[in-house]
Amino acid sequence: ILNVEQSPQSLHVQEGDSTNFTCSFPSSNFYALHWYRWETAKSPKALFVMTLNGDEKKKGRISATLNTKEGYSYLYIKGSQPEDSATYLCAPFSGGSNYKLTFGKGTLLTVNP
Amino acid sequence: GAGVSQSPSNKVTEKGKDVELRCDPISGHTALYWYRQRLGQGLEFLIYFQGNSAPDKSGLPSDRFSAERTGESVSTLTIQRTQQEDSAVYLCASSSGARSYGYTFGSGTRLTVV
């Protein structure tokens, strides 16, 4: 079982603010890192799958970076909007034939209008 | 179907009763997963099916929990003699099995044991 830490646990920002949060994971045996967004009363949706050290991915106002050597990933949201309010989950995958993700507890983001 | 379908969406059951949760994955997805989230907790892995391989049951919390999958189609998660601590949102996800792709989750079943 991988030890996955996400911080902060929750975050309140004002509309228009930019924000970021962290996912820490074991750097040994790293294969990939997934980010998901989980809105209340909906199902989690995949945002990014990242595999390479130094990788940066972007989708609209959301971007993520990956440091596999030190075992962390940052998720950034530029100009937060109320519709960005959700729990953001990260899940590292350490490889092997069993493709099973271990999820962090998530960061709950609330964007106030 | 276009997405992962779970039923029922909500289930209230009395302590001690058995419940069965259903998941219909995306057609062609070889991998199927069950997770749950109890109040205040993270997503907890329960069981994983990959094609015709033996399932990974390492996350099932007790022998009251079991799951089946017929081929690469529907899966059912059965909880026998439900307890209050079984109350949670039970999520099913499927994937193509390719490690570069994420999971596609269903909307979940909210189970409340009273």
Side-chain angles (χ1 to χ4, degrees):
Chain A
I1 297 178
L2 297 177
N3 185 24
V4 185
E5 299 285 338
Q6 289 190 248
S7 63
Q9 282 188 327
S10 64
L11 191 56
H12 289 253
V13 301
Q14 290 298 125
E15 182 175 356
D17 287 351
S18 293
T19 187
N20 66 84
F21 21 93
T22 307
C23 172
S24 300
F25 52 87
S27 57
S28 58
N29 299 320
F30 174 84
Y31 186 93
L33 182 88
H34 294 223
W35 279 101
Y36 288 80
R37 176 166 65 194
W38 192 2
E39 297 176 69
T40 303
K42 296 186 178 178
S43 55
K45 296 285 194 292
L47 284 174
F48 305 115
V49 178
M50 310 176 78
T51 56
L52 298 176
N53 184 44
D55 212 2
E56 180 170 345
K57 299 226 170 176
K58 188 174 181 181
K59 186 181 290 188
R61 293 179 292 98
I62 303 177
S63 61
T65 60
L66 178 66
N67 183 323
T68 62
K69 295 188 187 304
E70 296 180 43
Y72 64 83
S73 176
Y74 293 137
L75 190 79
Y76 301 90
I77 302 179
K78 185 177 177 182
S80 303
Q81 300 296 309
E83 59 264 30
D84 296 329
S85 298
T87 296
Y88 291 83
L89 300 168
C90 73
F93 172 58
S94 59
S97 60
N98 186 334
Y99 176 37
K100 178 178 78 185
L101 296 176
T102 301
F103 286 87
K105 291 186 177 180
T107 293
L108 174 61
L109 174 68
T110 304
V111 183
N112 300 312
Chain B
V4 177
S5 178
Q6 290 189 247
S7 61
S9 55
N10 276 287
K11 176 74 176 177
V12 180
T13 190
E14 291 182 352
K15 179 181 171 182
K17 295 280 177 72
D18 297 352
V19 294
E20 189 173 277
L21 313 180
R22 177 187 168 106
C23 173
D24 201 343
I26 290 175
S27 178
H29 277 192
T30 57
L32 185 146
Y33 311 83
W34 284 97
Y35 286 78
R36 73 175 178 180
Q37 186 184 43
R38 292 187 286 179
L39 194 62
Q41 304 295 313
L43 272 178
E44 178 186 2
F45 168 77
L46 297 176
I47 188 168
Y48 159 49
F49 296 90
Q50 173 64 57
N52 293 320
S53 302
D56 176 352
K57 304 179 182 180
S58 60
L60 294 178
S62 78
D63 58 10
R64 296 185 295 103
F65 287 72
S66 62
E68 291 183 349
R69 186 184 188 193
T70 307
E72 293 184 356
S73 61
V74 170
S75 174
T76 55
L77 177 70
T78 302
I79 310 173
Q80 294 178 310
R81 304 180 304 281
T82 51
Q83 303 295 311
Q84 287 185 328
E85 63 263 26
D86 299 335
S87 297
V89 175
Y90 287 81
L91 284 170
C92 174
S94 69
S95 83
S96 64
R99 298 169 191 177
S100 304
Y101 296 93
Y103 291 0
T104 302
F105 281 91
S107 297
T109 294
R110 180 175 296 279
L111 176 66
T112 305
V113 182
V114 297

